[in-house]
Amino acid sequence: MPAESRAAAALLHRVVRPEPRLRIGEVEALELAPLVAEWVRRGSTPEDLSRALVPGLPAFMYSAAAVLRDRLSRKMPPEPGLLPEAPAIAAAKSARPRSSYAECAKCHDPVPTPGICGPCAGLAPRPIAVGTGSAAVRAGAQRARAALRSARDTLPIAHRLTPTGT
């Protein structure tokens, strides 16, 4: 048994240890070791394996090894260098500052690039505010309370709830 297979099986055991539904035996781990070794060869870390194998498991599983085999095969990362980055994307990444957050110099609304927003420049209409804050919440709560009171007052006395124990 090659050392690489044993190391891959040990890695698989470490990755799935937090999830009891993914408990597998040594024989099953050794059968899955070539897939794990391929993930490692392609530059995956134990965290990458964990994110691919553990989340979103079904509530009941008949075979943890089959689930792991399926996920290891189906979610296999691409070969290194197989998908070259498009030149436009690489240029945009290098030209863009690290922080993607910018705000309008006048109204402080978020904008995609530093400067002023369209409404402040007079190039676009100002967007309508969706909420008006605590005043809207207070008014809505008052309307809800009034509706509940009127519904309670329209019920016949026999249908009203009375406190227990009186």
Side-chain angles (χ1 to χ4, degrees):
M1 177 179 332
E4 181 183 340
S5 291
R6 279 194 300 270
L11 173 62
L12 181 61
H13 277 293
R14 274 195 318 274
V15 166
V16 300
R17 183 177 300 136
E19 178 52 64
R21 292 175 289 173
L22 291 177
R23 301 294 165 147
I24 56 173
E26 189 64 29
V27 172
E28 295 167 316
L30 288 171
E31 288 174 0
L32 296 171
L35 289 170
V36 175
E38 183 62 21
W39 274 71
V40 172
R41 189 187 70 74
R42 293 183 182 199
S44 295
T45 63
E47 290 80 23
D48 295 332
L49 276 165
S50 180
R51 280 191 298 270
L53 300 177
V54 176
L57 292 171
F60 180 78
M61 294 189 295
Y62 289 103
S63 171
V67 170
L68 291 170
R69 183 177 298 107
D70 174 65
R71 288 183 174 204
L72 284 167
S73 301
R74 188 171 35 87
K75 296 182 175 187
M76 180 76 66
E79 286 280 344
L82 186 64
L83 299 173
E85 194 170 38
I89 294 173
K93 281 184 181 177
S94 63
R96 189 178 353 164
R98 288 300 278 178
S99 174
S100 60
Y101 173 76
E103 62 180 33
C104 174
K106 288 187 175 183
C107 69
H108 302 289
D109 280 351
V111 292
T113 58
I116 61 173
C117 64
C120 288
L123 300 174
R126 175 117 359 237
I128 298 171
V130 175
T132 55
S134 62
V137 171
R138 202 171 319 136
Q142 288 172 346
R143 285 195 304 272
R145 277 191 222 97
L148 288 171
R149 280 189 204 106
S150 69
R152 181 190 62 197
D153 293 341
T154 59
L155 285 175
I157 293 177
H159 289 97
R160 291 188 193 169
L161 295 176
T162 58
T164 56
T166 56

